């Protein structure tokens, strides 16, 4: 995680992967497309691309996978290599700061190898421009020397497949985006799909879980398999320490109450933002900086970490006048809007003009 990442490090419902997640995911990742759960449309399209490439005996088109973190972009890149029977090289955009860094990686690729470039939108501009030629013509120009005596030496590359992953597809420049032959957008998972993910992970982790327990975890996982797997591990710990190790709906609910993840997947930060908006500002509208001060967080943290999920759940809306809470937010926190409760109700204002168009005598 970047030191500039606004995501609090201790959030259980963050979609970012920490060291423990990466170690566990390596064991839980499916190895083939048929084992991958969810993303039906992307799987079908990708299967056609890979099968056609195998029949032709050539490298498939370059692949771009976009979507929020935690949905399986890295897993799909590894599946692509496995389906092709090819090795995979893994790197990331932030790790490539100079064109020479990219040239060193590209020049060492074997024919048919898969290069996975995570967070591709964060690659430096010089490296990005070198990648254009590598993707299209399978060659790069290596600059030797400086100044007027510098010369460009063309370096031929073996055919390879680039798999790029990004959480911010809009930041990719059009020349780079157009060089990908296949683009797949990853969507958030439905609860039924996440329930299958939880059952599969529980079997691999040797955790006994019933369907209701899996459904309880899936419903609090924000549509993200990575969060579902993380919650499963925390529920497993609770079940083993305080019960007999079997995960039921009741045990899962109690465990996630301990970890402050409620029935809709909101954690402490999410509820703090909603609570301040409702209790202190009557549901809004209120400015972002004011709301951030009220919850004791940076404005960037509130805007980039808490708000996207609250907006997606229909609990909060961003308007030109500020943030406002929806009726669902009042209901979720068990509060009554001021105009309904009679507390702080705004008195009716007199009309400026009477129905006949003349100025009202009450004004």
């Amino acid at each position: 995680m970047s030191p500039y990442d606004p995501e609090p490090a201790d959030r259980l419902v963050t979609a970012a992967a920490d060291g423990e997640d990466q170690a566990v995911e390596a064991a839980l990742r499916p190895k083939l497309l048929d084992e991958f759960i969810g993303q039906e449309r992307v799987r079908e399209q990708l299967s056609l691309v890979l099968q056609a490439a195998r029949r032709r005996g050539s490298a498939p088109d370059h692949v771009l996978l976009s979507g929020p973190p935690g949905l399986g972009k890295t897993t799909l890149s590894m599946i692509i290599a496995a389906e092709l029977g090819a090795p995979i090289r893994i790197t990331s955009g932030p790790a490539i700061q100079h064109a020479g860094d990219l040239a060193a990686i590209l020049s060492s690729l074997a024919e048919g190898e898969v290069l996975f470039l995570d967070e591709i939108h964060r690659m430096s501009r010089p490296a990005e421009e070198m990648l254009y030629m590598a993707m299209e013509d399978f060659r790069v120009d290596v600059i030797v020397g400086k100044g007027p005596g510098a010369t460009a030496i063309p370096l031929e590359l073996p055919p390879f497949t680039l798999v790029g992953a990004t959480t911010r597809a809009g930041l990719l420049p059009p020349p780079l985006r157009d060089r990908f032959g296949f683009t797949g957008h990853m969507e958030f998972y439905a609860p039924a799909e996440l329930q299958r993910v939880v059952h599969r992970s529980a079997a691999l982790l040797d955790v006994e879980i019933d369907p209701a327990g899996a459904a309880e975890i899936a419903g609090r996982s924000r549509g993200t398999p990575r969060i579902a797997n993380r919650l499963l591990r925390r529920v497993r710990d609770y079940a083993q320490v305080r019960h007999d190790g079997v995960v039921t709906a009741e045990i899962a609910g109690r465990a996630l109450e301990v970890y402050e993840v409620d029935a809709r997947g909101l954690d402490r930060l999410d509820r703090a933002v909603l609570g301040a908006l409702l209790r202190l500002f009557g549901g809004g509208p209120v400015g972002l900086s004011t709301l951030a001060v009220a919850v004791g967080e940076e404005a960037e943290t509130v805007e980039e970490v808490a708000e996207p999920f609250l907006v997606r759940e229909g609990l909060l809306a961003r308007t030109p006048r500020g943030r406002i809470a929806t009726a669902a937010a009042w209901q979720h926190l068990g509060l009554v809007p001021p105009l309904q409760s009679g507390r702080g109700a705004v008195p009716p204002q007199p009309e400026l003009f009477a129905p006949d168009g003349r100025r009202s005598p009450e004004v």
Side-chain angles (χ1 to χ4, degrees):
M1 186 179 299
S2 166
Y4 305 104
D5 195 328
E7 187 90 24
D10 60 345
R11 289 193 90 204
L12 192 62
V13 291
T14 175
D18 58 18
E20 181 186 7
D21 289 327
Q22 293 172 354
V24 174
E25 285 175 3
L28 298 181
R29 280 194 175 107
K31 303 298 188 291
L32 300 172
L33 271 178
D34 290 342
E35 301 173 2
F36 191 90
I37 297 171
Q39 310 297 338
E40 300 291 341
R41 180 66 63 185
V42 174
R43 283 199 301 120
E44 181 181 8
Q45 295 170 347
L46 195 54
S47 175
L48 292 173
V49 171
L50 298 179
Q51 288 184 45
R54 284 200 302 266
R55 292 186 180 184
R56 291 192 304 266
S58 61
D61 288 340
H62 303 298
V63 175
L64 177 64
L65 301 173
S66 66
L71 299 185
K73 295 185 292 296
T74 301
T75 299
L76 272 182
S77 72
M78 295 183 175
I79 286 176
I80 290 172
E83 294 276 357
L84 294 173
I88 183 170
R89 187 83 55 91
I90 299 176
T91 186
S92 66
I96 301 176
Q97 294 302 313
H98 306 283
D101 299 334
L102 181 61
I105 295 173
L106 293 174
S107 61
S108 63
L109 292 176
E111 183 173 354
E113 191 166 355
V114 175
L115 173 61
F116 175 58
L117 191 51
D118 197 11
E119 294 300 300
I120 191 173
H121 64 273
R122 296 175 61 186
M123 189 169 47
S124 68
R125 180 54 59 87
E128 185 180 282
E129 292 174 352
M130 175 180 282
L131 191 58
Y132 295 162
M133 186 180 298
M135 294 174 67
E136 198 163 29
D137 301 327
F138 295 109
R139 74 181 182 91
V140 294
D141 289 338
V142 179
I143 306 300
V144 179
K146 294 183 179 179
T151 57
I153 301 176
L155 178 64
E156 297 297 326
L157 302 175
F160 68 95
T161 298
L162 174 67
V163 180
T166 178
T167 55
R168 308 280 295 275
L171 296 183
L172 285 178
L176 179 57
R177 198 163 51 238
D178 292 345
R179 282 170 168 78
F180 287 97
F182 171 77
T183 300
H185 181 72
M186 313 284 281
E187 303 285 352
F188 286 105
Y189 280 58
E193 294 173 328
L194 281 179
Q195 191 171 347
R196 292 168 56 200
V197 170
V198 171
H199 271 297
R200 179 182 180 277
S201 298
L204 294 174
L205 294 173
D206 198 23
V207 176
E208 188 175 349
I209 187 170
D210 65 16
E216 186 71 23
I217 294 173
R220 304 187 188 214
S221 299
R222 298 175 174 243
T224 307
R226 177 175 291 154
I227 296 176
N229 288 331
R230 188 184 299 127
L231 295 184
L232 172 63
R233 299 199 305 272
R234 299 291 76 82
V235 171
R236 172 199 60 185
D237 297 343
Y238 179 92
Q240 291 176 348
V241 172
R242 297 192 177 177
H243 295 276
D244 59 1
V246 179
V247 176
T248 63
E250 182 181 2
I251 298 302
R254 290 181 185 176
L256 295 176
E257 283 179 12
V258 172
Y259 290 106
E260 300 183 288
V261 179
D262 68 18
R264 291 188 71 160
L266 277 65
D267 71 347
R268 180 203 59 80
L269 176 61
D270 301 320
R271 288 193 300 275
V273 170
L274 276 189
L277 182 58
L278 300 181
R279 296 186 176 95
L280 301 181
F281 305 107
V286 61
L288 172 63
S289 58
T290 303
L291 186 59
V293 170
V295 297
E297 297 283 355
E298 297 290 333
E300 185 182 13
T301 300
V302 173
E303 183 177 27
E304 296 186 16
V305 177
E307 285 188 352
F309 179 69
L310 295 176
V311 171
R312 182 161 62 88
E313 285 292 294
L315 300 173
L316 179 145
R318 295 169 171 170
T319 72
R321 297 177 58 202
R323 275 57 176 170
I324 61 172
T326 65
W330 292 96
Q331 183 178 3
H332 183 66
L333 293 190
L335 301 175
V336 179
L339 292 179
Q340 294 183 19
S341 66
R343 299 190 306 273
V346 179
Q349 300 296 315
E351 295 290 339
L352 182 61
F353 294 98
D356 59 4
R358 292 178 298 175
R359 188 177 179 86
S360 173
E362 299 178 3
V363 179

